Every structure is written in structure tokens, then in C-alpha cells.
Amino acid sequence: MTKGLQMSEVTKYYAEGSNRIAALDHVSISVGPGEFVAVVGPSGSGKSTFLSIAGALLKASEGDVKLNGYNISTLTAKELSNIRLREIGFIMQSSNLVPYLNVLDQLLIVKRMSGKVKREDKEFAAKLLEELGLGSKLKSLPEELSGGEKQRTAIARALINNPNVILADEPTASLDTKRAHEVVGLIAHEVKSRRKAAIMVTHDERMLEYCDKVYRMEDGKLSLAEMSRSRGVHV
């Protein structure tokens, strides 16, 4: 069975008056365990639709989406909800932390959504936060954290259910250069060490050096960008 995320000939149509517009046009991509890929492209190119379909938030009009070898294209809304909770970790532009929950509880609320919180869940959450440099912040509220600390909390939250796929949507949008490198470097480290299949949609070309492959999205079509010898990217 093929692990990770595979999309094959995925197309998404939207109705616009009497016309049918293809937001995604026969997109194919395969991301395996331990692989960190980036998708770049201008606004309106189809990146958001692509990420929504990869994250089981939206169904494709045509084509197949496979997660760990299972075709999720035909699942019900409830089944897709379970897939999102157990198999996919999301890291968004803004950390989307719950204002009244401390850092530890930001992770435990995700565990609570999938059942009762056990002692080993609390231990794993604390260990994860320690690993991401937040060991002294377990009881801190979001308003007491820096932008980088908020995003590190979001990374930990994405990993708490031990999902197979990590999807990051512009994770450096609100960060300065130093914090941006820190956050994407951490994502790359966790992807490699925990053998996750990860996709980052970004406008931030400074961050592409952390990625194994870079794809370009334009007019709903996805193509592999050329990597230069210096690991720069021609996009």
C-alpha cells in the first residue's frame, strides 16, 4: 500500500453563470512519508482549492485522492470529518489558537474531539511542546506568546493526533524573516523525523530551501519547478 498523499488527475469545476470554470485542471501529485513539498503561485491560481481537496475539506469533481492508499474521493461527509481529525494536521496562516485556552490545552482539545483525554495524551502533548521549545509555556495563554511561539504551538497541535499528512497554508504570512525560518525549519524537521507527508502552500520564496520539491500552480495547473544547483528555485 502506498503511504502518504496521492492526487491523480484531480479537476474541480465551479459554475459561473452558464459556464463551467476549472479551478483545478487535471492535477496530479504524490507526496510520500518524510517528504516536504511546496506549492507556489499567484493569487487565484488554484492553490486554496488544491489545499482544500488535499485536506478533505472539498470534494474533487473528477479524479482520485488517496490517503495511505485509500481512496477518499467517495467518502461521506462524516467519514471525511473523521479523516481530517485523525489523518491530517493543518497549520494555517494565523495560528488560529483558542484565546482562552493555555498552550497545553490547545493540543488536548484536539484529543478531546476524538475521545477521552488519557494520561499518555497529556504526556505526549507536553513532550511535543518541549521538543518545539515551548516547555516553559505550557500554561501561557495565546496573548502571552510571540508570533513565532503561536505558530510553534500550531505545529504541535497539527502533530498531536499523529496524522500521516501535514498541510501548511502560508505558515509564515505574519512572521518576520528570522521567525519565518525558525517555523519552517521546525516543520521540515518534524516532517523528516516523524515521517510525515507534508505540503506547504506559500508565497514566501525564502522558505523553499527547506523543501524537497517545489511545484508551481498557474491557472489551475500544477507543474514541477526546476531546482538550481544552489537549491534555489526557478519558478
Side-chain angles (χ1 to χ4, degrees), residues 61-227:
S61 304
E62 296 172 1
D64 292 323
V65 181
K66 290 185 178 179
L67 194 62
N68 282 347
Y70 293 103
N71 193 335
I72 67 170
S73 308
T74 58
L75 298 184
T76 66
K78 185 175 181 182
E79 288 169 333
L80 286 173
S81 179
N82 284 331
I83 286 283
R84 287 195 298 272
L85 185 59
R86 299 177 188 281
E87 296 288 344
I88 303 169
F90 294 92
I91 305 168
M92 313 307 284
Q93 295 185 33
S94 57
S95 54
N96 284 345
L97 302 182
V98 182
Y100 54 83
L101 292 181
N102 65 36
V103 167
L104 182 61
D105 284 339
Q106 302 285 343
L107 276 61
L108 296 181
I109 194 173
V110 177
K111 296 302 295 186
R112 203 162 283 125
M113 288 166 69
S114 53
K116 189 177 177 183
V117 177
K118 302 170 187 169
R119 188 181 70 181
E120 51 263 39
D121 295 330
K122 293 181 181 179
E123 290 171 353
F124 178 61
K127 183 177 176 221
L128 199 51
L129 290 163
E130 179 78 40
E131 188 179 298
L132 290 170
L134 294 163
S136 64
K137 302 285 186 178
L138 301 191
K139 299 298 181 184
S140 299
L141 293 171
E143 65 184 23
E144 300 169 306
L145 303 177
S146 69
E149 287 168 342
K150 288 177 182 175
Q151 281 299 67
R152 278 188 273 156
T153 303
I155 294 170
R157 184 180 58 190
L159 292 166
I160 188 64
N161 272 347
N162 198 25
N164 286 293
V165 173
I166 301 294
L167 301 176
D169 183 11
E170 300 282 1
T172 62
S174 59
L175 302 175
D176 60 33
T177 299
K178 181 170 182 277
R179 297 285 178 261
H181 278 286
E182 174 189 287
V183 162
V184 178
L186 278 170
I187 294 172
H189 173 75
E190 294 300 319
V191 166
K192 300 295 179 190
S193 64
R194 297 180 184 277
R195 302 290 296 160
K196 307 301 181 188
I199 299 174
M200 174 176 67
V201 165
T202 185
H203 281 100
D204 194 343
E205 297 194 7
R206 300 168 302 176
M207 301 301 117
L208 300 183
E209 65 185 80
Y210 296 96
C211 299
D212 301 302
K213 293 177 185 173
V214 178
Y215 292 83
R216 180 166 183 83
M217 180 78 74
E218 197 152 8
D219 296 328
K221 295 180 183 291
L222 191 69
S223 59
L224 191 60
E226 291 181 28
M227 304 286 282

Side-chain angles (χ1 to χ4, degrees), residues 1-13:
M1 184 188 296
T2 306
K3 295 282 189 180
L5 176 72
Q6 291 81 40
M7 297 172 69
S8 177
E9 296 292 315
V10 168
T11 298
K12 180 63 178 178
Y13 296 112

